[in-house]
Amino acid sequence: MFEQFGLDGLSLTLIGLGVLALLVLFAGAKTIPQGYNFTVERFGKYTRTLKPGLNVIVPFIDGIGKKINVMEQVLDVPHQEVITRDNASITANGVTFYQILDAAAAAYEVSDLEHAILNLTMTNIRTVMGSMDLDELLSNRDEINQRLLRVVDTAVSPWGVKITRIEIKDIDPPKDLVDSMGRQMKAEREKRAAILEAEGRRQSAILQAEGAKQAQVLEAEGRREAAFRDAEARERSAEAEAKATQMVSDAISSGNVQAINYFVANNYIKALEAIATSPNQKILMLPVEASSVIGAIGGIAEIAKETFGGGAPAPARSSRPPAAGPQQ
């Protein structure tokens, strides 16, 4: 049959060698997908790590060992019971994010990497959370995450793994403890409300006292200013009265008849006014005619003239005796 196609033994040998070469080439060429590293084993021993892309190995001598996913992966941490430092029993769960940085170490330094990381995380959750009080657990979740991250990352470092993040998802105290916490929170809020109300009343009383004090100060200042003004007015009035008296005295001393007449008439009128306004006065005798008052004033002036030696006394003017006024 081969003779019909003109093929001899040499041609068949060359064809066979070509096919074998293709098989060897395909057996030695390895394509690694992105996000993975493959380890190469020669007679069962690790030799090197293949990176993503086209790689060539020695056919029939080298083989692919472990196929390692080097992308960041997430691992769920199931619920577990934790007893806190103050003997409160809670349940907690979380998630762990990790990434393989050294494929050879992750493949050959630990068996079942995910199971190892999971157990390591659960153990440290119990250790970290068990060293804290319940109030600290509920209020310092970020601190718990950071402590877990440091501890677990240090532990898995020899495996060529980097822990990128650990998050506690749920912390569930018992129902009776939740009810007790609710009552405590309610009492605390009522306490704060009472304190704020008392503080408000205290502040209001202080402000009212300050306002009353300020009002009293302003009132005293007003009284002081008014007294000062009254005293100043009385002083000015006294000064004016003294000046007027001095002027009248000077005029009398110099024998000024007009000044004497004015002084006598002014005091005469004031005396009549005082008599008229007296509450105990029942009968008041007043001169009816104005000439009588002028005559009386003139008579007094004549007496003053004689006193100061102003000349012979003038003849007395006739004056009608004052008539009786109406009874009051």
Side-chain angles (χ1 to χ4, degrees):
M1 182 180 63
F2 292 106
E3 293 178 354
Q4 295 178 356
F5 295 98
L7 297 177
D8 53 7
L10 180 60
S11 299
L12 293 176
T13 302
L14 293 175
I15 292 173
L17 291 175
V19 173
L20 181 61
L22 289 175
L23 293 176
V24 170
L25 181 61
F26 281 114
K30 299 296 181 183
T31 301
I32 311 301
Q34 185 67 38
Y36 284 85
N37 286 171
F38 290 180
T39 61
V40 178
E41 298 177 355
R42 180 171 296 176
F43 304 116
K45 181 181 179 181
Y46 168 77
T47 57
R48 60 194 177 98
T49 301
L50 302 180
K51 302 298 181 180
L54 180 63
N55 296 267
V56 179
I57 63 174
V58 179
F60 311 113
I61 297 176
D62 294 340
I64 301 299
K66 303 291 185 180
K67 297 179 180 180
I68 305 300
N69 185 350
V70 296
M71 294 181 289
E72 188 171 2
Q73 302 176 66
V74 59
L75 189 62
D76 285 327
V77 180
H79 282 85
Q80 59 178 327
E81 186 175 354
V82 178
I83 298 177
T84 63
R85 186 171 58 186
D86 53 352
N87 296 324
S89 179
I90 64 171
T91 58
N93 66 338
V95 290
T96 301
F97 296 86
Y98 69 95
Q99 185 175 14
I100 297 175
L101 302 180
D102 188 348
Y108 302 108
E109 294 295 334
V110 62
S111 177
D112 197 349
L113 178 62
E114 289 189 358
H115 184 71
I117 294 175
L118 178 61
N119 281 276
L120 189 61
T121 303
M122 294 176 64
T123 302
N124 282 279
I125 285 176
R126 288 194 297 269
T127 301
V128 172
M129 299 180 69
S131 64
M132 303 174 69
D133 294 333
L134 179 60
D135 292 338
E136 295 178 338
L137 292 180
L138 298 177
S139 59
N140 297 323
R141 187 170 298 190
D142 290 339
E143 181 181 352
I144 298 173
N145 296 336
Q146 293 298 325
R147 290 176 61 181
L148 286 173
L149 179 62
R150 289 194 300 268
V151 173
V152 178
D153 184 59
T154 302
V156 301
S157 180
W159 303 340
V161 178
K162 172 67 177 176
I163 303 297
T164 58
R165 195 176 187 87
I166 296 180
E167 295 286 344
I168 299 298
K169 293 195 297 184
D170 298 317
I171 299 177
D172 300 325
K175 186 177 183 304
D176 56 346
L177 187 58
V178 173
D179 295 338
S180 176
M181 291 171 61
R183 291 192 299 270
Q184 180 182 0
M185 181 176 61
K186 181 179 179 181
E188 187 66 24
R189 289 181 176 177
E190 292 177 351
K191 174 185 174 183
R192 288 200 299 267
I195 292 174
L196 291 176
E197 184 178 357
E199 186 66 24
R201 290 196 299 268
R202 173 178 173 272
Q203 191 67 22
S204 176
I206 291 175
L207 292 177
Q208 290 179 359
E210 288 290 338
K213 175 184 175 183
Q214 190 67 20
Q216 291 176 359
V217 170
L218 293 176
E219 184 179 357
E221 288 289 338
R223 290 198 302 269
R224 176 176 174 272
E225 185 67 20
F228 178 76
R229 296 297 176 87
D230 291 342
E232 186 177 6
R234 289 194 300 270
E235 182 181 355
R236 297 291 177 84
S237 177
E239 289 178 357
E241 184 69 23
K243 187 174 180 180
T245 304
Q246 183 65 35
M247 292 176 65
V248 172
S249 298
D250 292 342
I252 293 173
S253 298
S254 62
N256 192 333
V257 178
Q258 289 81 2
I260 295 173
N261 289 336
Y262 171 76
F263 182 75
V264 172
N266 188 30
N267 285 279
Y268 186 78
I269 295 301
K270 287 184 178 179
L272 292 177
E273 181 181 356
I275 294 172
T277 57
S278 176
N280 297 324
Q281 184 65 32
K282 303 302 182 181
I283 300 175
L284 180 62
M285 306 297 293
L286 293 176
V288 178
E289 298 180 357
S291 61
S292 300
V293 177
I294 296 173
I297 294 173
I300 297 171
E302 294 296 333
I303 295 172
K305 283 183 180 181
E306 293 177 359
T307 303
F308 294 105
R317 296 181 181 179
S318 61
S319 58
R320 183 179 297 178
Q327 293 184 355
Q328 292 183 353

